Amino acid sequence: MSHLAVLDKSAPPAIPDMSPGKCGMWIFLVSEIMFFTGLIGSYIVLRLGSGSWPNPWAVLNIPLLTINTTVLLTSSLTMVLAVSAIEQNDSKGAARQLLFTALLGMLFLVIKVFDYLHMIHQGFTISSDLFGSCYYLLTGFHGLHVLSGVILMVYLWKKTKADSFSSENYVRIESSGLYWHFIDVVWVILFAFLCLL
């Protein structure tokens, strides 16, 4: 009897007002939270267990990283505007904001590459010391997430331009927005731990 209840498609959803796509995105984000929690937790353990640790202000280009943080936070705003536009059935506005989000994500990556090249030129590499290994590992994994987000934004931009979404059908944009905000929050946490603590 209980199996029949499970298979009954007319039964109300386990989580009201949440589409399967959005629910799937939340499950994916939980796995990502565990992944980055493990990485950041390992960094904290290494940081606290190390007898000496370089001063981040002496090693990192923190003004440049602050600019990059602003770029990524601005992209969160354009993502919010994209969702708001499609909720109002404004496909052109949503497409424009998605394109801005993708461009800001690409700008973040370009600045990150410039930051890497500058630091390597200064002699701060992944093999310099423990801080170098942690910095390149943490920011490198985050950069890969931003890159995947940019690819996703370009895909959504093309689909939105083709009128594939409307105010009744925009779960993919909304779910992708959750992912984009997540990678922004992760960057802010990384920035705080790597640069300010």
Side-chain angles (χ1 to χ4, degrees), residues 11 13 22 29 31-32 46 49-50 59-60 66 105 117 132-133 138 142 144 156 169 185:
K22 196 171 179 181
L29 291 180
S31 70
E32 289 288 285
L46 292 171
S50 178
V59 177
L60 304 178
T66 303
L117 294 175
S133 301
L138 289 168
H142 177 265
L144 289 176
L156 291 174
N169 171 31
V185 169

Side-chain angles (χ1 to χ4, degrees), residues 88-111:
Q88 299 169 29
N89 224 14
D90 179 9
S91 294
K92 287 184 179 177
R96 185 170 56 249
Q97 297 300 334
L98 288 169
L99 180 60
F100 286 155
T101 305
L103 290 174
L104 287 167
M106 283 191 274
L107 178 60
F108 174 88
L109 293 173
V110 169
I111 293 174

Side-chain angles (χ1 to χ4, degrees), residues 123-134:
F124 182 66
T125 68
I126 194 169
S127 57
S128 294
D129 53 24
L130 195 53
F131 182 46
S133 301
C134 290

Side-chain angles (χ1 to χ4, degrees), residues 13-33 170-172 174-176 178-179:
I15 306 175
D17 299 329
M18 182 174 287
S19 67
K22 196 171 179 181
C23 185
M25 177 56 76
W26 274 113
I27 293 171
F28 171 71
L29 291 180
V30 168
S31 70
E32 289 288 285
I33 289 169
Y170 62 97
V171 173
R172 275 186 278 178
E174 190 178 28
S175 300
S176 301
L178 291 174
Y179 176 75

Side-chain angles (χ1 to χ4, degrees), residues 113-159:
V113 169
F114 176 80
D115 177 53
Y116 280 170
L117 294 175
H118 174 74
M119 288 193 302
I120 290 170
H121 181 72
Q122 297 293 323
F124 182 66
T125 68
I126 194 169
S127 57
S128 294
D129 53 24
L130 195 53
F131 182 46
S133 301
C134 290
Y135 180 80
Y136 284 98
L137 181 71
L138 289 168
T139 58
F141 272 121
H142 177 265
L144 289 176
H145 281 75
V146 175
L147 178 60
S148 62
V150 167
I151 294 170
L152 182 61
M153 290 304 132
V154 171
Y155 164 78
L156 291 174
W157 169 63
K158 287 187 174 182
K159 297 292 283 184

Side-chain angles (χ1 to χ4, degrees), residues 22-97:
K22 196 171 179 181
C23 185
M25 177 56 76
W26 274 113
I27 293 171
F28 171 71
L29 291 180
V30 168
S31 70
E32 289 288 285
I33 289 169
M34 290 190 288
F35 173 73
F36 277 103
T37 299
L39 287 178
I40 295 170
S42 300
Y43 172 77
I44 293 171
V45 170
L46 292 171
R47 175 85 164 81
L48 296 176
S50 178
S52 62
W53 199 263
N55 180 1
W57 287 88
V59 177
L60 304 178
N61 190 343
I62 292 182
L64 185 64
L65 295 177
T66 303
I67 292 171
N68 228 8
T69 302
T70 305
V71 168
L72 209 54
L73 290 177
T74 305
S75 73
S76 257
L77 174 62
T78 57
M79 190 67 231
V80 169
L81 294 175
V83 174
S84 176
I86 200 65
E87 281 176 340
Q88 299 169 29
N89 224 14
D90 179 9
S91 294
K92 287 184 179 177
R96 185 170 56 249
Q97 297 300 334

